[in-house]
Amino acid sequence: MEGIYAFSVGLLTACGVFLTLRGRSFSVVVGLTLLSYAVNLFLFASGRLKLNAAAVLGRSEQYSDPLPQALVLTAIVIGFAMTAFVVILAMRARADLGNDHVDGQVPKPKTPILQKGNTSHKTGGGQ
Amino acid sequence: MKSLIWLPFLPLLGTLIPLITSRLSRTACAFLTAVLPALTLFLVLSHTEAIFHGERFFASIPWVPAIGLQLAFRLDGLALLFSILILGIGLLVILYARYYLSAKDSIGKFYAYLILFMFAMLGVVLSDNLIQLWFFWELTSISSFLLISFWGDKSEARKGARMALTVTGAGGLALLAGLILLGHTVGSYSLQTVLNSGDMIKASSAYPIILVLVLLGAFTKSAQFPFHFWLPNAMAAPTPVSAYLHSATMVKAGIFLMARFYPALADTDLWFMLVSLTGLATFLTGAYIALFQHDLKGLLAYSTISHLGLMTLLLGMGTDLAAVAALFHVINHAIFKASLFMAAGIIDHESGSRDMRQLNGLWKFMPYTATLAMVASASMAGVPLMNGFLSKEMFFTETLHQASLGSLSWMVPVLATLGGIFSVAYSMRFIHDVFFNGNPINLPKTPHEPPRYMRVPVEILVALCLLVGIFPSVMVGNLLYAAASATLNGSVPSYSLAIWHGVNFPLLMSIIAMCGGLIVYANRQHLFKFQAQFPTSDPKLVFESVIQSINQRASQFIALTENGSLQRYAFLTLLLAVVMTTIPLMRLNATAGLRPEIPVDALSITAAVLLCLSGLATVIWHRRRLLSLLTLSVVGLIVSLAFAKFSAPDLALTQLSVEVVTVILLILALFFLPQKTPKESSPRRVVRDLSLAAFVGGTVGTICYALMTRPLDTISTFFTENSKTGGGGTNVVNVILVDFRGFDTLGEITVLGIAALGIYKLIARMRLYMPSGDYQGRPWAEDKHPILLAVISQSLLPLALLVSAYIFLRGHNLPGGGFIAGLITSVAIIQQYVAHGVEWVKTRIKLDYQIMIGSGIAIATLSGLGSWLFNRPFLTTWFDYFSLPLIGKFELASAMVFDLGVYLTVVGATMLILANLGKLTTSERPTQQEHE
């Protein structure tokens, strides 16, 4: 079971990282959300996996570690607040800057041929 | 001796007084400002008798004892000497500045800076802790920056201030390094301990580094060659500042530092070479350049540099008598130089110029001031019967008595005499060129005597010059002895403070200096011509160009590394993180540990496959945003199932309800954002990012696996054991949240509230394009609030609220609690918004979410403060069991009040975010409300 769990955490991390590295704010927000799932699962797993052992006294023979659970619980709520903050920031950036690129401006595509760049420079004066 | 603590802090309190009283008349402001320094001086003087009898006073308040930090003050002879100078001359400067500053200068601000400086300086001399001493040291740099740039509209004031701050601040950093190293070597930051372990310090291998670093601090502050250039440029400050900081006090801080650490650092060859040679170079350079200054204050500034060099040279000689002479000169120089600066200020004030080429023959216009200035100037030159003569005589004596340069030792007295010649020459110039030598040339004003009380400080100081000069042992004998005994750590050599020591070699040197000085001054035209051949370089310009080239290099470097692309930064940060984690992972022998794994079951496999597939789908479809959002929510759902599976019901509930609000939030946001992501990553970048992502994911997965398969030595047994007995609840997770770690939770809900308020401010005034249809151009549905949804959600509301109340109440003993209940309530309210629209909800649910957040945090805090009423630490909980008919036995716990605070904050924050974001889509937009 631990192997599957670890694999899933790793995969979620990878997905999250890839999306975080994208250039548009919404992808980054989605990536961060995925990443926070992975982080929460990871932190939770530091208390080790146990079946049928909820940390409620008197309900089971042994108890799972309550400390990581308490940490993760607040992390989930704060994570929500942070996701909200980032997504609103992204909206605000789009409203104020006119695009949703993380750098605040859409990078100009590199002109592959130098000649083309030169001509556009000459004729582009009036634009 | 707690009153000692008050000594430096009385002036600190005093910085407020001028700011408060600046609306009163200038005289009243000056008078009230002087009260606290005068009181401090009185307090200091009340200790004199005891200190003269050899006592030392210490007082300290522990601050961070674990790392040796404490607020520690000491009052010994050396501190007494400097305190008297700082406070005494400070009081005179306050009086003087009252007349010097013009009506358009803000006198309150000036006095506040001045007193701040006084506080800093007192702190330096009274500190008994190395770090504390450094703190005050830097504070003197900062307050002197404020004072030099007081006339900030002048470019030279700004430049001079910046230069002074840069040089002394950089020196201060070196000093900090030196002091930390010193404290580390000794094992204590207590000054007293350091002073008592001189032999150990000098024997340690770090000694040369410590010495160089500490001396760098002292030399920059005391304007020693080659760091002297900032002092003349600091003359852009108002003259009272120059009189105070740049003659009597701040520049003396370096001298003080060397005297203070004399028992700990002095008396080695390295000390001698560094200190005495630097002092000698400074003494000569300053004296020589001073002669060529045309600006009155410039002359005095270079003369100050020269005299500081003299004191440094004396301290560097390493003999006990030389140290005594240095301290004696500290007193004398402070007295005559402060009076000279004040006189120069009077001349500037009453004639409108400081240029000695214009100022001539002022004797006719201000004979009284001229007399005072001439007496002080004679003291500077070292004329007999003045205090300057006495210490200069001691200086000459000491140069004859040292032999550290071996067979070249004769050079020191010769060079000292040479410096003496120039001192006499520039003092002569100050007298002759200003007060005699023809008539004034093109002065802006007709010079006249200053107001009566502007002259009083000068009179007092000049009287002191004479009194100390004629009755040295009566005036300063005890003080000097006490200071010397503190500097030398007890053993003061016998010396005599007499005017006449008979015809001897030092007297001969004095006579040579006198005659030589007069000859040099008489032939100054030749020297001026000679000096004019050199290209002039303005230290200000040189300094500025150096600073600017550093700035340029820095911006080039920044342009190289920071191109403004967040993608690149994120990539590099992650790359670094993963590299840093890989290294220790490679040292781990086996991935799997000894802990047996849980057997796999089919349901878990299915869930895991689903999780991975939806995670991948989110990535693959990430350009189709709505679709990726749907797959994302599948991930969240399975995560909450995983929590439920692995015995974390609280987490499962939280994750589930957060999932709902997150998806609603993201869909709302998506309404305003482009529906699709353009394809813009180059294939190379995609491969690069994919590799990094796989690398990071692999590392994290490995760590996770390695962690889980190793046995756990947990600290949580404490929580499970005490949860019921100490916290009164069986749900350990909840008890941790509201009781054991309640303070953390309080912090977390505060962050939540702040984030929500921040979001609210971001939403307000947001101007967004509102799409009229979906991405395919289809218009939105006419029926915005379908009746079926409206009816069902309306009837669900009480049910949902009931569930949330139930979850809240049982939270202490069973899965649930404030966080989860808050989220459920939020979802229930949001559902009404979704089903009925903002208009409908607004008329029915009248909740101010901001107040809700505030009251939530307030309730949580107050429930914690409540325990203070019972003399318990913050956030101690109380619980007991009661029974009522019908309901039966139940528990009441103060933790529930805390949990209520959590609940309110969570509801408030979630709703503040979502409701306001939702309002953006309607006519209730916060933007319009603000503009109407």
Side-chain angles (χ1 to χ4, degrees):
Chain A
M1 190 72 88
E2 273 81 356
I4 301 173
Y5 188 94
F7 177 80
S8 310
V9 170
L11 188 94
L12 282 186
T13 313
C15 293
V17 166
F18 180 77
L19 285 181
T20 311
L21 291 172
R22 297 303 91 212
R24 298 291 168 158
S25 53
F26 192 78
S27 309
V28 175
V29 171
V30 172
L32 285 175
T33 314
L34 275 179
L35 210 52
S36 67
Y37 289 144
V39 169
N40 287 340
L41 285 175
F42 181 93
L43 286 179
F44 170 67
S46 69
R48 309 299 182 266
L49 301 184
K50 277 183 186 168
L51 299 176
N52 303 319
V56 179
L57 301 182
R59 294 287 167 126
S60 52
E61 290 294 309
Q62 51 163 355
Y63 306 117
S64 58
D65 196 339
L67 194 59
Q69 294 191 21
L71 292 179
V72 171
L73 200 152
T74 46
I76 292 172
V77 180
I78 298 251
F80 162 69
M82 286 301 124
T83 309
F85 195 86
V86 173
V87 84
I88 305 291
L89 202 61
M91 285 170 59
R92 184 72 196 239
R94 192 194 181 208
D96 291 357
L97 303 170
N99 67 74
D100 68 336
H101 199 277
V102 287
D103 295 344
Q105 54 186 11
V106 182
K108 293 182 192 99
K110 285 173 193 161
T111 41
I113 308 160
L114 198 66
Q115 237 181 345
K116 207 174 176 180
N118 282 345
T119 50
S120 74
H121 180 68
K122 277 174 195 161
T123 54
Q127 287 174 349
Chain B
M1 272 324 294
K2 287 296 172 198
S3 72
L4 200 54
I5 302 277
W6 282 103
L7 280 187
F9 288 103
L10 275 179
L12 180 64
L13 203 66
T15 51
L16 296 175
I17 291 178
L19 294 174
I20 298 166
T21 58
S22 61
R23 290 180 194 184
L24 305 175
S25 75
R26 289 153 67 86
T27 311
C29 179
F31 181 76
L32 289 169
T33 304
V35 169
L36 280 177
L39 185 64
T40 320
L41 183 60
F42 175 76
L43 276 177
V44 168
L45 289 177
S46 71
H47 292 90
T48 33
E49 212 44 48
I51 289 175
F52 287 167
H53 286 102
E55 273 189 61
R56 293 170 186 196
F57 298 94
F58 295 91
S60 66
I61 303 172
W63 181 18
V64 192
I67 52 169
L69 283 183
Q70 54 178 346
L71 207 58
F73 294 100
R74 63 186 281 142
L75 186 61
D76 57 6
L78 187 64
L80 178 75
L81 166 63
F82 274 91
S83 304
I84 292 175
L85 285 182
I86 292 162
L87 291 163
I89 296 183
L91 283 169
L92 296 179
V93 166
I94 290 174
L95 173 61
Y96 180 78
R98 147 75 184 85
Y99 294 94
Y100 182 84
L101 291 181
S102 69
K104 65 178 192 294
D105 296 322
S106 161
I107 199 161
K109 198 170 89 174
F110 180 82
Y111 278 146
Y113 290 164
L114 198 73
I115 306 290
L116 178 70
F117 172 78
M118 189 185 276
F119 160 68
M121 203 60 210
L122 271 182
V124 169
V125 300
L126 293 172
S127 283
D128 193 36
N129 179 291
L130 299 186
I131 304 296
Q132 181 194 334
L133 188 151
W134 175 81
F135 170 80
F136 284 113
W137 179 275
E138 288 296 60
L139 198 58
T140 61
S141 294
I142 291 167
S143 49
S144 101
F145 171 82
L146 293 171
L147 281 166
I148 299 171
S149 62
F150 183 71
W151 286 324
D153 50 337
K154 290 187 191 166
S155 156
E156 56 166 8
R158 293 195 302 270
K159 284 192 179 130
R162 213 155 50 211
M163 191 190 290
L165 183 67
T166 314
V167 176
T168 56
L173 289 180
L175 176 65
L176 176 64
L179 291 180
I180 289 176
L181 210 55
L182 188 59
H184 197 71
T185 311
V186 177
S188 162
Y189 286 108
S190 157
L191 187 63
Q192 189 54 36
T193 321
V194 169
L195 294 186
N196 286 333
S197 30
D199 293 333
M200 190 250 265
I201 296 166
K202 282 174 235 173
S204 84
S205 59
Y207 172 71
I209 309 172
I210 294 176
L211 183 64
V212 168
L213 288 171
V214 171
L215 287 181
L216 269 177
F219 288 171
T220 47
K221 199 73 146 193
S222 279
Q224 295 296 301
F225 183 82
F227 307 111
H228 63 284
F229 56 89
W230 70 263
L231 186 59
N233 286 296
M235 292 301 138
T239 302
V241 175
S242 309
Y244 192 34
L245 273 68
H246 305 125
S247 66
T249 54
M250 184 171 106
V251 289
K252 295 275 167 63
I255 306 292
F256 168 80
L257 194 77
M258 286 187 272
R260 179 94 281 178
F261 286 101
Y262 196 82
L265 298 175
D267 219 8
T268 62
D269 285 346
L270 187 64
W271 168 278
F272 169 77
M273 297 301 278
L274 286 174
V275 179
S276 67
L277 293 187
T278 309
L280 187 60
T282 315
F283 174 53
L284 288 172
T285 324
Y288 180 73
I289 301 179
L291 182 60
F292 301 103
Q293 297 299 309
H294 297 303
D295 181 0
L296 263 185
K297 281 174 78 177
L299 184 148
L300 291 176
Y302 278 103
S303 140
T304 305
I305 293 176
S306 166
H307 281 274
L308 290 167
L310 188 154
M311 291 172 232
T312 309
L313 171 58
L314 278 170
L315 283 170
M317 284 182 188
T319 61
D320 292 351
L321 268 174
V324 176
L327 290 172
F328 191 29
H329 200 64
V330 165
I331 306 176
N332 294 333
H333 177 252
I335 296 174
F336 69 68
K337 194 50 69 65
S339 63
L340 279 172
F341 265 112
M342 288 180 184
I346 291 177
I347 293 166
D348 182 15
H349 203 252
E350 308 305 341
S351 70
S353 171
R354 296 196 319 236
D355 193 326
M356 278 186 277
R357 285 166 296 191
Q358 291 177 297
L359 294 167
N360 291 312
L362 290 191
W363 170 262
K364 281 165 272 182
F365 301 96
M366 38 172 78
Y368 198 82
T369 310
T371 313
L372 293 173
M374 283 191 286
V375 174
S377 206
S379 178
M380 175 162 77
V383 173
L385 295 184
M386 312 287 169
N387 58 353
F389 169 73
L390 297 174
S391 45
K392 195 161 250 182
E393 201 80 339
M394 284 171 95
F395 166 61
F396 284 148
T397 314
E398 286 316 304
T399 57
L400 289 168
H401 287 166
Q402 53 73 42
S404 306
L405 283 181
S407 59
L408 289 177
S409 298
W410 60 269
M411 284 176 73
V412 179
V414 170
L415 290 173
T417 316
L418 184 66
I421 289 174
F422 278 102
S423 304
V424 173
Y426 67 68
S427 306
M428 195 59 215
R429 185 168 180 214
F430 191 93
I431 298 174
H432 182 256
D433 220 357
V434 175
F435 297 113
F436 305 99
N437 199 20
N439 288 312
I441 304 162
N442 289 332
L443 281 184
K445 295 194 227 176
T446 309
H448 56 82
E449 287 282 356
R452 176 74 196 89
Y453 289 102
M454 192 172 182
R455 231 164 38 206
V456 168
V458 191
E459 285 165 357
I460 294 174
L461 289 167
V462 167
L464 280 173
C465 278
L466 285 165
L467 284 172
V468 175
I470 299 168
F471 311 107
S473 31
V474 181
M475 292 301 295
V476 294
N478 282 332
L479 186 62
L480 183 60
Y481 186 87
S485 121
T487 304
L488 301 169
N489 227 1
S491 57
V492 184
S494 63
Y495 59 90
S496 92
L497 287 179
I499 311 172
W500 182 250
H501 286 110
V503 181
N504 54 10
F505 223 70
L507 188 69
L508 183 67
M509 286 163 77
S510 276
I511 294 169
I512 295 174
M514 284 293 159
C515 301
L518 291 177
I519 294 166
V520 167
Y521 180 69
N523 296 304
R524 63 188 184 280
Q525 295 310 333
H526 302 293
L527 268 174
F528 275 61
K529 263 183 216 152
F530 172 72
Q531 196 61 19
Q533 296 167 12
F534 292 101
T536 51
S537 71
D538 186 352
K540 269 202 294 278
L541 296 178
V542 179
F543 181 80
E544 282 293 311
S545 71
V546 169
I547 295 289
Q548 280 184 4
S549 75
I550 292 175
N551 271 344
Q552 214 175 350
R553 296 270 161 76
S555 14
Q556 279 170 359
F557 183 71
I558 288 171
L560 203 69
T561 50
E562 291 181 29
N563 65 348
S565 161
L566 289 182
Q567 282 169 283
R568 181 201 261 196
Y569 301 160
F571 180 82
L572 290 177
T573 312
L574 283 166
L575 188 67
L576 184 71
V578 87
V579 168
M580 301 284 276
T581 30
T582 327
I583 297 165
L585 273 185
M586 282 196 277
R587 299 209 190 107
L588 200 67
N589 290 327
T591 320
L594 298 170
R595 196 169 176 273
E597 289 196 31
I598 302 170
V600 181
D601 57 310
L603 198 64
S604 308
I605 297 247
T606 322
V609 169
L610 207 56
L611 179 80
C612 295
L613 283 181
S614 42
L616 287 174
T618 313
V619 171
I620 292 164
W621 290 330
H622 79 268
R623 276 198 293 280
R624 298 162 70 184
R625 294 182 169 182
L626 190 61
L627 201 57
S628 74
L629 204 54
L630 292 179
T631 49
L632 180 74
S633 62
V634 176
V635 177
L637 200 64
I638 298 174
V639 169
S640 59
L641 287 178
F643 286 139
K645 167 96 180 165
F646 299 114
S647 322
D650 288 279
L651 290 192
L653 284 171
T654 316
Q655 181 69 60
L656 198 63
S657 35
V658 162
E659 199 51 42
V660 176
V661 282
T662 308
V663 170
I664 293 172
L665 168 84
L666 290 182
I667 286 184
L668 271 174
L670 196 53
F671 178 72
F672 295 102
L673 290 172
Q675 303 301 305
K676 283 189 161 183
T677 305
K679 195 169 183 174
E680 57 188 0
S681 296
S682 62
R684 183 191 281 179
R685 168 164 285 187
V686 170
V687 171
R688 184 194 80 169
D689 291 351
L690 270 180
S691 336
L692 181 70
F695 200 21
V696 175
T699 317
V700 171
T702 313
I703 299 175
C704 187
Y705 183 72
L707 196 69
M708 282 187 296
T709 50
R710 279 166 172 74
L712 173 66
D713 184 19
T714 179
I715 56 168
S716 298
T717 31
F718 168 81
F719 298 122
T720 35
E721 277 163 11
N722 293 294
S723 174
K724 177 77 179 163
T725 48
T730 51
N731 181 6
V732 189
V733 177
N734 184 268
V735 176
I736 291 177
L737 283 176
V738 299
D739 193 337
F740 293 128
R741 307 297 307 161
F743 201 35
D744 294 353
T745 311
L746 183 62
E748 273 155 306
I749 58 171
T750 312
V751 172
L752 188 68
I754 291 170
L757 291 175
I759 289 168
Y760 179 68
K761 292 310 282 181
L762 277 177
I763 289 176
R765 294 170 189 272
M766 177 141 60
R767 299 215 156 271
L768 273 170
Y769 160 74
M770 226 190 309
S772 55
D774 68 1
Y775 67 98
Q776 287 178 337
R778 292 175 295 201
W780 302 118
E782 285 293 308
D783 187 12
K784 283 188 175 169
H785 307 295
I787 186 98
L788 193 65
L789 181 65
V791 169
I792 292 177
S793 64
Q794 210 171 333
S795 53
L796 270 179
L797 180 66
L799 273 176
L801 290 179
L802 196 65
V803 168
S804 118
Y806 172 66
I807 291 275
F808 175 81
L809 287 175
R810 73 174 210 161
H812 215 44
N813 291 312
L814 288 167
F819 276 111
I820 302 167
L823 286 165
I824 293 175
T825 308
S826 310
V827 173
I829 302 176
I830 291 164
Q831 199 181 26
Q832 306 310 310
Y833 275 103
V834 173
H836 298 282
V838 176
E839 286 285 347
W840 188 90
V841 179
K842 204 180 90 175
T843 53
R844 286 166 180 81
I845 302 180
K846 291 194 173 104
L847 290 175
D848 187 326
Y849 302 123
Q850 295 186 57
I851 289 177
M852 217 161 158
I853 296 175
S855 53
I857 296 174
I859 288 173
T861 314
L862 286 176
S863 84
L865 289 176
S867 50
W868 282 359
L869 293 178
F870 303 95
N871 276 330
R872 297 292 167 85
F874 186 58
L875 279 170
T876 311
T877 53
W878 160 92
F879 66 93
D880 209 344
Y881 298 91
F882 301 89
S883 62
L884 274 181
L886 281 177
I887 300 171
K889 188 181 167 193
F890 65 99
E891 180 191 357
L892 279 181
S894 67
M896 289 181 80
V897 180
F898 183 81
D899 221 9
L900 181 69
V902 174
Y903 171 82
L904 287 175
T905 314
V906 170
V907 175
T910 319
M911 291 312 300
L912 189 68
I913 297 168
L914 284 176
N916 283 302
L917 187 56
K919 273 183 199 169
L920 280 181
T921 63
T922 68
S923 56
E924 297 281 328
R925 302 173 69 118
T927 45
Q928 288 167 355
Q929 285 173 355
E930 284 206 12
H931 285 282
E932 271 164 14

